[in-house]
Amino acid sequence: MADPRQPLRVLRGNEAQFASYVGLSGEPGYATDSRRPRMMTGDKPGGIILAGLDDNGQANSLPALGRPLVDHFGDMINIKNFPYNCKGNDIDPDTDGLQRALSDMVTTGRPIFIPPGRYRSGQLRYPVSAAYSQMGSIFGYDKNLTQIRRIGDNQSLGLLTIGDPNATNFTANINISGLTLNGMDPNLPVLVTYDLVKSVLRQINCIGGSVGYQMYGGITNMLFDFNCDNNGTGLMARGFASKAGGGMPNHIHIIGAFGGNLKYGLDIDGGVNFMLDGCDVEGNGRTFDADSGGLLVGPNMGGDISRIRNYPGVTARNCWFEANKGKADVRLQSGLNAIEHSKFFSTPDATRHDVLIEGGNYMIVNCATGTAKTANLKDSINCERGNYVIGGLFPGVDLVRCSVLAAPTLHNINNPLNATEGLNVYNQPAYAHAGMTVDGPTKIAGPFLNAGGVKVAASGGNYFVPEGSGWVMFTQTSAIANQGCILPVAAGDGHLIEIGTIGTITSLYVAAQGGATVIGTSSDPANPTKQGDPVTLTASTPLRFRYDAAGTRWLRT
């Protein structure tokens, strides 16, 4: 009988091709009975054998390379293996095995592998290591197949806590992926981190807790495919009194989904430079006009930066806000915040506003809403000066601290547009505007068709009347002088504008743009055609003008 142990031969291929298979040591061969490669010598399988071809197509066998396969598996902690012996059957408690694996990972640097299963566990602690190089990683098989579920009473911590509020060094260089953490308790957080630095959390679900992810401090972390659903609040970021020199979260990049949470999808208050990129923030909050909604940026952004009052807070880019309930989809209370290229689809009976700005600075760029509200965008006198709305689509706007409004598709503004700091409005052709309140030098580069008018809280200067306005009202209550009102040039024939006041204006100058004349501004009834003289305006004696297109002039009526 022929010896079945014959040298391995590779019949097809070229010199760049290699065949590899598992073995421990010895000579590669071929078993003629099974017609499969096999190790011909060596006591047990485990090594790696490479076989290649030379230029003539002949086999070149290489000796066993590397360590036995069991050694490779030994580089990773598999929680189902000895001495951890986790079951993952959703019946037996696996707390001891999981905690031992976490402790061994930190002391040895070996990563943890969690196979598919449902692992029932009490609260777990990721200890703080003295060296960054020994910070390990946790790899679940898949977030939909690998789940850790809280069990037990009398607990006070998160299901998984990484770091320690009393630690004197950071917890860094951690990679966690492929897990669902199910808090199973509405009174306790799910994932909690302290001073987590330079780490990546990827493909993770945090569900079923008071907070899905409670972040204390943290520097330069990345959250990818990171989801916090069905918690009290999805993600909550805060500063704390760090003994390691950190304490404030900053430079945090988040891509994920935050939905179905009772209060807010994200609640960020403290630190700087959060980037929300392509996040889906949907179905958060339960009650209209309540303290809830999609994204809350609290009053303490930039608080750790000395001598800088307003520092970069949150940038939300390419995000989707839908079906949230509360005061607004986005609520901004401090920091220099930007909302860019994002969409809003919460109905008027769900949120009062799309974006509510109560403090700090804001930039809203190329955003749009799918529903009309009295004020889709609303800011506050408590905001800092120098804010922008550029591009986009918002049917209702109420802004008192906006400096530049350049939104070509802004339309149907049926709430007064306020500009107490002076406002430049550009490129608004063929859309409706029902009222504007201005205070300070303001230029309106309309036209605003079918407009209701302009309210002027006069403080000196010339006020340009948007084309299409029906009235201009000076809202000051005391007597003032030296006010100017500039009428548009391209009004339709017969168009009427009324100029009124609450308090007396002793010298109101009325002129027109583009070379149009204004006839009848003299207070002398015997000379009604005289133009250019100032007029005394009182609450009981408004001025009325009618546009004569043929004569390119405004006639006092």
Side-chain angles (χ1 to χ4, degrees):
M1 180 176 179
D3 186 352
R5 297 185 302 169
Q6 299 180 12
L8 177 66
R9 294 289 184 267
V10 180
L11 301 180
R12 295 181 178 85
N14 55 53
E15 67 271 17
Q17 294 176 309
F18 290 91
S20 65
Y21 53 91
V22 177
L24 174 63
S25 61
E27 180 182 355
Y30 188 80
T32 56
D33 52 352
S34 64
R35 297 182 179 275
R36 294 182 178 179
R38 57 177 281 184
M39 293 307 305
M40 304 314 298
T41 61
D43 50 357
K44 60 181 179 179
I48 300 297
I49 304 297
L50 296 180
L53 300 178
D54 59 21
D55 291 339
N56 298 318
Q58 300 299 312
N60 278 335
S61 298
L62 302 177
L65 301 177
R67 296 173 293 129
L69 188 62
V70 291
D71 280 0
H72 287 283
F73 281 116
D75 290 341
M76 180 174 286
I77 296 171
N78 187 323
I79 63 168
K80 285 195 170 182
N81 291 345
F82 178 82
Y84 313 104
N85 300 324
C86 293
K87 303 298 184 183
N89 58 13
D90 203 17
I91 299 173
D92 298 308
D94 291 317
T95 307
D96 292 343
L98 287 167
Q99 187 59 64
R100 180 168 182 173
L102 288 169
S103 299
D104 287 353
M105 174 182 63
V106 172
T107 56
T108 66
R110 295 159 59 200
I112 293 175
F113 173 63
I114 306 179
R118 289 191 169 194
Y119 301 85
R120 295 170 62 82
S121 176
Q123 58 195 28
L124 300 168
R125 297 296 301 266
Y126 188 127
V128 178
S129 171
Y132 281 4
S133 61
Q134 288 185 328
M135 299 297 180
S137 300
I138 304 173
F139 301 105
Y141 183 82
D142 181 89
K143 69 178 181 180
N144 298 313
L145 300 175
T146 305
Q147 183 175 138
I148 300 176
R149 300 161 61 86
R150 186 194 292 271
I151 58 171
D153 300 322
N154 302 317
Q155 300 182 33
S156 59
L157 302 177
L159 174 58
L160 174 60
T161 300
I162 301 175
D164 191 301
N166 297 309
T168 56
N169 61 303
F170 297 145
T171 303
N173 301 317
I174 292 174
N175 186 349
I176 303 177
S177 64
L179 283 176
T180 288
L181 301 174
N182 191 339
M184 306 285 288
D185 190 330
N187 299 310
L188 293 172
V190 180
L191 172 64
V192 181
T193 62
Y194 294 93
D195 277 338
L196 184 66
V197 175
K198 295 191 296 183
S199 296
V200 178
L201 307 179
R202 185 192 308 269
Q203 203 195 36
I204 292 177
N205 293 331
C206 295
I207 61 177
S210 59
V211 179
Y213 177 22
Q214 177 71 69
M215 178 192 308
Y216 291 107
I219 304 172
T220 319
N221 297 316
M222 298 183 181
L223 284 60
F224 296 149
D225 190 9
F226 188 92
N227 308 313
C228 292
D229 299 330
N230 302 315
N231 303 281
T233 292
L235 180 149
M236 183 178 289
R238 294 290 189 269
F240 77 109
S242 169
K243 296 181 180 179
M248 283 290 180
N250 61 82
H251 299 280
I252 309 297
H253 191 175
I254 302 172
I255 300 175
F258 303 84
N261 299 290
L262 293 177
K263 196 167 185 182
Y264 284 100
L266 301 101
D267 178 349
I268 300 171
D269 191 16
V272 297
N273 282 349
F274 280 75
M275 169 64 78
L276 311 183
D277 192 353
C279 291
D280 179 13
V281 184
E282 188 170 341
N284 301 286
R286 297 294 181 267
T287 306
F288 170 73
D289 207 28
D291 181 15
S292 60
L295 165 65
L296 171 65
V297 178
N300 299 301
M301 298 305 294
D304 58 328
I305 309 297
S306 61
R307 296 183 300 279
I308 298 180
R309 182 178 180 184
N310 217 23
Y311 204 74
V314 174
T315 297
R317 180 176 297 158
N318 302 318
C319 293
W320 184 277
F321 297 90
E322 182 178 1
N324 299 295
K325 288 189 175 182
K327 291 189 178 298
D329 284 291
V330 174
R331 190 176 178 187
L332 309 175
Q333 297 180 331
S334 69
L336 175 59
N337 303 297
I339 312 297
E340 303 173 355
H341 312 290
S342 297
K343 297 292 183 67
F344 297 86
F345 287 95
S346 295
T347 58
D349 60 351
T351 56
R352 187 173 294 276
H353 312 287
D354 294 329
V355 182
L356 173 62
I357 310 109
E358 299 169 297
N361 283 108
Y362 60 87
M363 294 179 289
I364 301 174
V365 180
N366 289 336
C367 296
T369 184
T371 60
K373 299 175 181 177
T374 301
N376 294 83
L377 303 182
K378 181 175 176 58
D379 70 1
S380 164
I381 195 65
N382 296 320
C383 295
E384 302 295 323
R385 295 176 174 86
N387 303 296
Y388 303 85
V389 177
I390 301 175
L393 171 62
F394 290 101
V397 177
D398 184 357
L399 302 173
V400 299
R401 288 287 198 181
C402 185
S403 296
V404 174
L405 179 61
T409 54
L410 190 77
H411 70 102
N412 296 332
I413 305 174
N414 49 27
N415 196 69
L417 173 62
N418 303 303
T420 57
E421 298 305 314
L423 173 68
N424 292 328
V425 182
Y426 303 104
N427 301 325
Q428 304 293 309
Y431 291 106
H433 178 71
M436 177 175 291
T437 301
V438 296
D439 180 8
T442 299
K443 181 176 181 180
I444 312 299
F448 290 88
L449 302 184
N450 304 316
V454 181
K455 294 180 180 179
V456 178
S459 60
N462 292 323
Y463 298 91
F464 291 78
V465 180
E467 183 175 328
S469 294
W471 49 264
V472 178
M473 176 63 69
F474 288 86
T475 60
Q476 87 295 335
T477 57
S478 60
I480 58 174
N482 300 319
Q483 300 300 305
C485 191
I486 312 298
L487 303 179
V489 63
D493 188 54
H495 184 79
L496 295 175
I497 289 181
E498 179 178 298
I499 304 173
T501 183
I502 295 177
T504 299
I505 300 177
T506 58
S507 51
L508 174 68
Y509 295 85
V510 181
Q513 295 175 284
T517 57
V518 179
I519 306 298
T521 58
S522 172
S523 59
D524 181 3
N527 190 6
T529 62
K530 187 176 181 180
Q531 59 178 314
D533 286 349
V535 178
T536 297
L537 190 65
T538 68
S540 60
T541 59
L543 288 175
R544 295 181 179 89
F545 294 91
R546 178 180 61 84
Y547 189 66
D548 173 24
T552 318
R553 58 185 182 173
W554 288 94
L555 301 175
R556 183 176 177 182
T557 64

